[in-house]
Amino acid sequence: MGILSRASYVIRSKVNAVLNRAEDPHETLDYSYEQLRDELQDVKKGIADLTTQKKRLEIQKRRLEENVEKHNEQARQAVEQDRDDLARRALEKKKQKMSQIEDLETQIADLQNTQDSLVEKKDTLQRRIEEFRTEKETMKARHEAAEASARVSEAMTGAGDEMENVSRSIERARDQTEDMEARAAAMDELEDSGAFESALSDESDLERELDELRDDGEVEAELETLKSEAGTGGGGGDSTGGGDVDIELDDDAESVAADPEVEAELDDIKRDEEQ
């Protein structure tokens, strides 16, 4: 198969596929039925024309038969009048008319045979058309039922896929909701058990203990410094009188006690110790 032949075959295949998709069975059946009815009408018209032609020949035959009778009568009259010549001429015309009648009878017989054949074909075609009409309506009803069934099946298939997607969406939403509910319940349980407060309080206690240790260290260091300073001063001036030192310390204590900032710091220390 050459390239052109293959291309032509492919094109015809594509065209047939397009025509099959575009073909409406209802329209095709109705068109075929109308075509058969048109053919039946053509057959009936042919029978009518043939019958008309036969009737004309029959009329012509009757006229010839009348002429035959007329010529026969003329021949008798001529014989009665001893006119053999006229009688002979009348008989010759009679013979011609009779010969024409025989030809007409042959033609009429042929037309009658043709007419009978056409009538038989017409009856057969008419029966087939009636059968086709019944089958056409049956096929149209079956096609409509099949088409409706196909649409329902497609709708059910589409609905099944859609419902499956909806079910999956609902299942995912249910899982997410259950996870959120579980988390919320867990948070409520931890909050009720005080786990959050203990975690916060532990952190606060740790910070507070570190602050206290740092403050205690500073106090101890300062105390040690004071002790060192006090010990050094007492060792160098026992005879000179420690009263001056005591007086100076008392003065410092009074000055410290009178300082508002110092008082505020002392109050803060007391509050921290109470807590």
Side-chain angles (χ1 to χ4, degrees):
M1 183 181 293
I3 296 177
L4 295 179
S5 299
R6 291 179 60 189
S8 177
Y9 179 78
V10 171
I11 292 173
R12 289 197 303 270
S13 300
K14 297 294 184 181
V15 171
N16 288 332
V18 172
L19 291 177
N20 289 333
R21 288 194 298 268
E23 183 179 3
D24 186 357
H26 293 188
E27 294 180 356
T28 302
L29 291 173
D30 290 338
Y31 178 76
S32 299
Y33 178 70
E34 293 299 327
Q35 289 293 108
L36 291 176
R37 286 178 60 87
D38 291 341
E39 292 180 4
L40 179 61
Q41 293 298 324
D42 292 338
V43 172
K44 290 181 177 180
K45 184 176 181 298
I47 293 175
D49 294 339
L50 185 62
T51 303
T52 301
Q53 185 65 26
K54 188 186 70 171
K55 292 297 181 182
R56 290 176 179 173
L57 294 180
E58 289 176 350
I59 292 172
Q60 187 175 358
K61 175 187 172 184
R62 285 197 298 271
R63 289 177 180 176
L64 290 174
E65 289 174 347
E66 292 175 354
N67 289 331
V68 168
E69 293 295 332
K70 179 180 178 181
H71 293 317
N72 192 26
E73 183 64 25
Q74 289 174 349
R76 283 196 301 269
Q77 292 178 0
V79 169
E80 291 176 355
Q81 296 177 5
D82 294 330
R83 294 290 305 270
D84 294 341
D85 56 338
L86 294 177
R88 190 177 291 106
R89 289 173 56 187
L91 292 175
E92 290 176 353
K93 289 182 178 181
K94 173 185 175 182
K95 185 176 180 180
Q96 292 176 356
K97 296 298 189 294
M98 291 182 65
S99 177
Q100 293 178 3
I101 290 173
E102 291 179 357
D103 293 338
L104 288 176
E105 287 178 348
T106 302
Q107 295 180 17
I108 291 172
D110 292 340
L111 291 176
Q112 184 63 46
N113 292 331
T114 304
Q115 179 180 348
D116 294 339
S117 177
L118 288 177
V119 170
E120 183 178 357
K121 291 180 179 179
K122 185 264 297 181
D123 293 338
T124 302
L125 180 59
Q126 191 165 1
R127 285 194 303 271
R128 290 180 179 178
I129 290 174
E130 292 300 323
E131 293 174 355
F132 178 76
R133 185 179 67 83
T134 302
E135 185 177 1
K136 173 178 73 71
E137 297 299 327
T138 303
M139 289 299 298
K140 288 172 67 175
R142 290 179 58 187
H143 181 268
E144 290 177 356
E147 188 176 12
S149 178
R151 287 197 301 268
V152 171
S153 299
E154 292 175 357
M156 292 297 295
T157 303
D161 296 339
E162 187 66 23
M163 289 302 296
E164 183 177 359
N165 295 331
V166 171
S167 298
R168 291 178 180 176
S169 300
I170 293 175
E171 184 177 357
R172 289 193 298 269
R174 183 184 296 110
D175 293 340
Q176 294 177 359
T177 302
E178 290 177 353
D179 291 340
M180 294 299 294
E181 291 175 350
R183 290 181 60 186
M187 297 296 287
D188 292 340
E189 183 177 352
L190 291 173
E191 184 176 1
D192 294 338
S193 64
F196 293 153
E197 294 180 357
S198 62
L200 293 174
S201 61
D202 290 342
E203 184 178 359
S204 300
D205 292 341
L206 179 60
E207 292 179 355
R208 186 165 55 252
E209 290 178 2
L210 291 174
D211 291 339
E212 290 177 355
L213 290 174
R214 184 173 58 254
D215 293 339
D216 292 341
E218 293 177 356
V219 171
E220 292 296 330
E222 187 175 358
L223 179 59
E224 291 297 328
T225 301
L226 291 175
K227 287 181 178 181
S228 298
E229 292 177 354
T232 301
D238 290 340
S239 61
T240 58
D244 294 337
V245 175
D246 293 337
I247 294 171
E248 290 177 359
L249 289 172
D250 293 339
D251 293 338
D252 291 338
E254 290 176 359
S255 63
V256 170
D259 191 354
E261 296 179 358
V262 174
E263 292 292 337
E265 292 179 0
L266 292 174
D267 293 336
D268 293 336
I269 292 172
K270 290 179 180 180
R271 283 194 297 271
D272 293 335
E273 291 176 353
E274 291 175 355
Q275 291 178 355

Coordinates of all heavy atoms in Angstrom, one line a residue, residues 160-176:
G160 N -20.7 8.7 42.4 CA -19.9 7.9 43.3 C -18.5 8.5 43.5 O -18.0 8.5 44.7
D161 N -17.9 9.0 42.5 CA -16.6 9.6 42.6 C -16.6 10.8 43.5 O -15.8 11.0 44.4 CB -16.0 10.0 41.2 CG -15.7 8.7 40.4 OD1 -15.6 7.6 41.0 OD2 -15.7 8.9 39.2
E162 N -17.7 11.6 43.3 CA -17.8 12.8 44.1 C -18.1 12.5 45.5 O -17.5 13.1 46.4 CB -19.0 13.7 43.5 CG -19.2 15.0 44.2 CD -18.0 15.9 43.9 OE1 -17.3 15.7 42.9 OE2 -17.7 16.9 44.7
M163 N -18.9 11.5 45.8 CA -19.2 11.1 47.2 C -18.0 10.5 47.8 O -17.7 10.7 49.0 CB -20.3 10.0 47.2 CG -21.7 10.6 46.9 SD -22.2 12.0 48.0 CE -22.2 11.0 49.5
E164 N -17.1 9.8 47.0 CA -15.9 9.3 47.6 C -15.0 10.4 48.0 O -14.4 10.4 49.1 CB -15.2 8.4 46.5 CG -13.9 7.8 47.1 CD -13.3 6.9 46.0 OE1 -13.9 6.7 44.9 OE2 -12.2 6.3 46.3
N165 N -14.9 11.5 47.2 CA -14.1 12.7 47.5 C -14.6 13.3 48.8 O -13.9 13.8 49.6 CB -14.0 13.6 46.3 CG -13.3 13.1 45.2 OD1 -12.4 12.2 45.3 ND2 -13.7 13.5 44.0
V166 N -16.0 13.5 48.8 CA -16.6 14.1 50.0 C -16.3 13.3 51.2 O -16.0 13.8 52.3 CB -18.1 14.2 49.7 CG1 -18.8 14.7 51.0 CG2 -18.4 15.3 48.6
S167 N -16.4 11.9 51.1 CA -16.2 11.1 52.3 C -14.7 11.2 52.7 O -14.5 11.3 54.0 CB -16.4 9.6 51.9 OG -17.8 9.4 51.5
R168 N -13.8 11.3 51.8 CA -12.4 11.5 52.2 C -12.2 12.9 52.9 O -11.5 13.0 53.9 CB -11.5 11.4 51.0 CG -11.4 10.0 50.4 CD -10.6 10.0 49.1 NE -10.5 8.6 48.6 CZ -9.9 8.3 47.4 NH1 -9.2 9.3 46.8 NH2 -9.8 7.0 47.0
S169 N -12.8 13.9 52.3 CA -12.7 15.2 53.0 C -13.3 15.2 54.4 O -12.7 15.8 55.3 CB -13.5 16.3 52.1 OG -12.9 16.3 50.8
I170 N -14.5 14.5 54.5 CA -15.1 14.5 55.9 C -14.2 13.7 56.8 O -14.0 14.0 58.0 CB -16.5 13.8 55.8 CG1 -17.4 14.7 55.0 CG2 -17.0 13.5 57.1 CD1 -18.8 14.1 54.8
E171 N -13.5 12.6 56.3 CA -12.7 11.8 57.1 C -11.4 12.6 57.6 O -11.0 12.6 58.7 CB -12.2 10.6 56.4 CG -11.4 9.6 57.2 CD -11.0 8.3 56.4 OE1 -11.5 8.2 55.3 OE2 -10.3 7.5 57.0
R172 N -10.9 13.4 56.6 CA -9.7 14.2 57.0 C -10.1 15.3 58.0 O -9.4 15.5 59.0 CB -9.1 14.9 55.7 CG -8.4 13.9 54.8 CD -7.6 14.6 53.8 NE -8.4 15.5 52.9 CZ -8.9 15.1 51.8 NH1 -8.7 13.8 51.4 NH2 -9.7 15.9 51.0
A173 N -11.3 15.9 57.8 CA -11.8 16.9 58.7 C -12.0 16.3 60.1 O -11.7 16.9 61.1 CB -13.0 17.6 58.2
R174 N -12.6 15.1 60.1 CA -12.8 14.4 61.4 C -11.5 14.1 62.1 O -11.4 14.3 63.3 CB -13.6 13.1 61.1 CG -13.9 12.4 62.4 CD -14.6 11.0 62.2 NE -15.9 11.2 61.5 CZ -16.1 10.9 60.2 NH1 -15.1 10.3 59.5 NH2 -17.3 11.0 59.6
D175 N -10.5 13.6 61.4 CA -9.2 13.3 62.0 C -8.6 14.6 62.6 O -8.0 14.6 63.7 CB -8.2 12.7 61.0 CG -8.7 11.3 60.5 OD1 -9.5 10.7 61.3 OD2 -8.3 10.9 59.4
Q176 N -8.6 15.7 61.8 CA -8.1 17.0 62.3 C -8.8 17.4 63.5 O -8.2 17.9 64.5 CB -8.1 18.0 61.2 CG -7.2 17.7 60.0 CD -7.3 18.7 58.9 OE1 -8.1 19.7 59.0 NE2 -6.5 18.5 57.8

